[in-house]
Amino acid sequence: MNDSTTPETKHTTARYFLEGLQETGIRYLFSNLGTDHVTLIDEMARLQAEGQAMPEVVLCPHENVAIHMAGGYAAVTGQGQGVMVHVDAGTANAAMGMHNLMRARLPVLLMAGKAPYALHGEVPGARDNYVHYVQDPFDIASLVRPYVKWDYNLPSGVVAKEVVRRAHSVMHTEPAGPVYMTLPRETLIEPWTTEQIKSYPAARYGAVGMGALPAEATLQIARELMAAENPLVITSYLGRKPEAVQALEALAELCGIRVVEFSPTWLCISRESPCFFGFDATPLLPETDWGLLLDIDVPWLPHQTRPREDTRWVHIDVDPIKKDFPAWGFATDVRWPGDCAQALRDLHQAVLSLADEAFHQKVAHSKASWSAQRQQRLERVAAAAHNPGAEDALNPAWVCAQIGLQLSPDDVVINEAIRNSPAVLQQISRTQPMSFLGGAGGGLGYSAGMALGVKLARPNDRVVHIEGDGGFHFSTPTSVYAVAQAQGLPILTVVLDNGGWQAVKEAVLRVHPDGPAAQAGEFQARLKGEKRRFEQVAQAFGAHGERVTRSEELPAAIARCLQALDEGRAALLVASVAKI
């Protein structure tokens, strides 16, 4: 029993909150702090002075970079991190990134302080600034509620560690995704004894994983697959687990399955696999009698693509019902939630247990018949990159092919080229799991922040992100290169500068091909200006930057940029491609 004269050890809620983050395994806090975080900042200094472990704070001048850094880190590690922002203003700046991470099913804990509720100095932490009055909306969480799995306001320090564990477990439970917490300033400063605060270990309070398919379901799918004449897999984000890539390649080889990645957000199969058939299922659907949809949100665009009415579709997905899509509209015959890596391994074993020599001969014959079709596709890809284009109007496919020639298999490519995405996908061949990332959401300006997060997670690999000039504007580039310099995270930005938003122009033409906008050639999408020197933005923060307008300049420019990365400096390469 303690001596009643011994003073009890007390710490603030903020300290216990930071300890809770550390206990869950969160390593980084990508942050843009404010007046709401004063006690957290004070406790960070105290923990550092005491030599206690705590998550590393990565200061980001803009929340768009912070939220996407967390996304990039989670994309290649599976580990959600913390993002700490300033009240409603910081939450609003992070909201677009939360949309992107929600669509990509990436875990992140977004935390915002709250303007103090005490008006007259009644308790420590009460309002002491004009801005505390104007940063107190009725429902701060409504700014991101469409994009989160869970939101909560920390009511007391007594539950600080329990709430952090809950947030961490929810965001990692499949389907993974963002969560949001608000932290009142008065709550953060409240003192509590160490006896009042409990820890909540992952062993008893942790995330829930996705399981395997029932054995009978696996056997039935195996029988259907083996009976199919022209089976097809369409996938997009199966590759978020590297072991799933290996399982898919093994099953495709065993069963003679053609594989298409439609709008991929991770590499799902080596682009050099004989089973890889490109990025559009449209030409394959007329002969497909049995299809397997694996971890995919949109397998094709129904307004231009129709599968056969008699094709049987099996859908295995971490989220087959698409609970965050108000409307979806893709008919399937069998739907199972499951871990695709485990499901494919089990399916592989089931096929092996059922297969005979006749099946193996059928598969061999089918795969032998692919060579002409595969060769035609490769020839089309090569032809698209044959012409380098003209001065100040380079061919995006040729530009991407030149980049691909100088990259290694382990380099990570992040695609945000939007309407030039086919050039990135087709011309920069990727073979290794986690060597390619794309965007699942609709918010532009994500790839630079993601590249920084990937580089933080994989410091020994080169990271290249490719975007358009429109995306470059959205990315808050001064914040990008400030963080790259401050944190020692050299990334390569490639800007395919076409002078605006090609997607807007093409959308108008699809709906109004003969309208007045088409006749006038004016789509309100061109970014005009006498001078557009994006590379100077990077140079302002110590990065290497250059602009290329002529084809003969490009190979050496790419080499100089990659050399800058190897020397520890970020680089920005602007390629002046054909204009919209």
Side-chain angles (χ1 to χ4, degrees):
M1 188 171 182
N2 290 336
D3 186 341
S4 60
T5 63
T6 303
E8 294 180 302
T9 301
K10 287 189 174 183
H11 298 296
T12 65
T13 298
R15 180 179 178 119
Y16 295 121
F17 188 82
L18 291 169
E19 289 178 356
L21 293 173
Q22 179 70 20
E23 289 173 9
T24 62
I26 287 178
R27 297 183 59 190
Y28 296 101
L29 295 176
F30 303 103
S31 302
N32 190 296
L33 305 176
T35 58
D36 40 329
H37 299 116
V38 292
T39 307
L40 284 164
I41 293 169
D42 202 51
E43 290 294 356
M44 289 173 183
R46 181 173 286 109
L47 287 168
Q48 290 171 340
E50 294 174 1
Q52 300 295 319
M54 58 167 279
E56 180 180 343
V57 176
V58 178
L59 289 180
C60 301
H62 196 283
E63 294 85 354
N64 183 60
V65 172
I67 193 72
H68 287 117
M69 281 191 75
Y73 191 95
V76 295
T77 66
Q79 300 168 12
Q81 302 300 304
V83 175
M84 194 166 284
V85 300
H86 178 43
V87 293
D88 58 339
T91 301
N93 278 346
M96 188 270 286
M98 291 287 275
H99 154 83
N100 285 336
L101 270 58
M102 182 270 285
R103 287 300 180 205
R105 299 175 181 84
L106 289 172
V108 64
L109 169 55
L110 178 65
M111 297 159 281
K114 289 192 72 175
Y117 55 78
L119 305 182
H120 307 294
E122 305 95 322
V123 294
R127 294 186 183 185
D128 59 12
N129 193 300
Y130 163 81
V131 78
H132 292 157
Y133 289 84
V134 300
Q135 292 178 332
D136 187 21
F138 285 109
D139 186 4
I140 184 174
S142 67
L143 293 167
V144 293
R145 191 166 290 126
Y147 313 130
V148 301
K149 299 176 65 179
W150 173 94
D151 70 82
Y152 196 72
N153 179 60
L154 182 65
S156 166
V158 169
V159 296
K161 291 188 178 183
E162 184 174 13
V163 169
V164 170
R165 172 59 69 186
R166 176 67 175 165
H168 190 269
S169 297
V170 170
M171 72 178 181
H172 284 100
T173 293
E174 298 287 15
V179 295
Y180 180 63
M181 282 187 64
T182 49
L183 312 172
R185 197 164 86 150
E186 296 91 336
T187 301
L188 289 172
I189 203 172
E190 290 173 348
W192 304 92
T193 66
T194 54
E195 289 77 13
Q196 291 175 289
I197 309 299
K198 297 180 180 179
S199 293
Y200 294 83
R204 303 197 70 187
Y205 299 91
V208 177
M210 186 67 71
L213 273 60
E216 184 57 38
T218 298
L219 278 172
Q220 179 60 31
I221 295 170
R223 294 187 187 102
E224 292 181 9
L225 170 58
M226 295 173 69
E229 294 297 322
N230 292 295
L232 175 68
V233 160
I234 311 176
T235 183
S236 172
Y237 56 89
L238 170 146
R240 67 201 186 103
K241 292 191 174 184
E243 61 269 28
V245 177
Q246 299 161 359
L248 175 58
E249 291 186 355
L251 183 68
E253 288 271 7
L254 175 65
C255 298
I257 311 172
R258 296 167 298 175
V259 178
V260 168
E261 292 183 353
F262 187 72
S263 193
T265 48
W266 276 267
L267 178 138
C268 300
I269 187 171
S270 169
R271 309 286 161 75
E272 295 182 357
S273 167
C275 299
F276 174 64
F277 269 73
F279 304 97
D280 183 7
T282 302
L284 304 176
L285 290 177
E287 60 186 38
T288 297
D289 59 335
W290 189 90
L292 187 57
L293 304 182
L294 299 172
D295 279 345
I296 188 163
D297 288 331
V298 180
W300 55 79
L301 299 179
H303 78 283
Q304 65 184 26
T305 299
R306 291 281 193 276
R308 284 171 28 179
E309 289 293 331
D310 62 342
T311 301
R312 183 169 173 82
W313 293 98
V314 175
H315 189 183
I316 304 172
D317 199 307
V318 71
D319 179 24
I321 198 62
K322 307 303 173 189
K323 62 182 180 59
D324 292 315
F325 288 71
W328 193 57
F330 294 93
T332 55
D333 299 286
V334 178
R335 293 161 295 282
W336 282 106
D339 179 330
C340 276
Q342 185 61 53
L344 293 175
R345 286 194 294 261
D346 292 345
L347 191 54
H348 189 278
Q349 290 302 313
V351 170
L352 286 178
S353 70
L354 298 170
D356 56 14
E357 184 59 30
F359 172 74
H360 292 302
Q361 289 181 0
K362 183 183 90 165
V363 169
H365 181 267
S366 177
K367 289 162 67 175
S369 70
W370 294 348
S371 58
Q373 193 175 16
R374 176 177 170 79
Q375 185 59 34
Q376 290 172 3
R377 182 180 65 82
L378 294 175
E379 288 174 356
R380 288 194 299 270
V381 169
H386 178 71
N387 181 6
E391 182 175 355
D392 212 32
L394 298 173
N395 175 6
W398 180 83
V399 171
C400 290
Q402 294 301 307
I403 294 169
L405 290 174
Q406 298 197 40
L407 297 183
S408 66
D410 291 327
D411 294 340
V412 181
V413 174
I414 305 175
N415 177 28
E416 194 185 2
I418 311 304
R419 300 311 300 166
N420 283 318
S421 283
V424 177
L425 293 170
Q426 294 169 358
Q427 304 298 336
I428 305 179
S429 181
R430 300 284 82 198
T431 60
Q432 301 299 315
M434 296 293 171
S435 65
F436 173 86
L437 298 173
L444 289 183
Y446 61 83
S447 64
M450 289 193 71
L452 291 169
V454 171
K455 185 63 178 177
L456 185 64
R458 297 176 58 167
N460 297 323
D461 296 323
R462 292 189 296 201
V463 183
V464 180
H465 74 103
I466 303 173
E467 60 190 356
D469 49 313
F472 180 81
H473 283 292
F474 283 128
S475 71
T476 60
T478 56
S479 180
V480 169
Y481 301 109
V483 173
Q485 178 177 239
Q487 298 296 324
L489 299 172
I491 60 170
L492 171 56
T493 301
V494 178
V495 177
L496 302 177
D497 182 5
N498 64 4
W501 288 286
Q502 179 75 19
V504 175
K505 174 183 176 180
E506 292 184 5
V508 173
L509 292 175
R510 285 196 300 272
V511 179
H512 303 289
D514 302 313
Q519 294 172 18
E522 180 51 69
F523 304 96
Q524 306 301 330
R526 294 188 179 92
L527 293 170
K528 301 173 183 178
E530 185 177 343
K531 292 184 66 176
R532 289 158 51 83
R533 302 305 300 267
F534 299 144
E535 67 276 12
Q536 293 180 0
V537 178
Q539 292 167 359
F541 293 90
H544 175 81
E546 54 184 297
R547 180 181 183 86
V548 172
T549 60
R550 298 163 59 91
S551 60
E552 60 267 26
E553 301 168 346
L554 185 63
I558 296 170
R560 287 190 294 270
C561 288
L562 294 175
Q563 180 63 31
L565 299 195
D566 295 340
E567 294 171 354
R569 298 170 62 207
L572 191 158
L573 175 63
V574 181
S576 183
V577 300
K579 302 302 182 281
I580 67 170

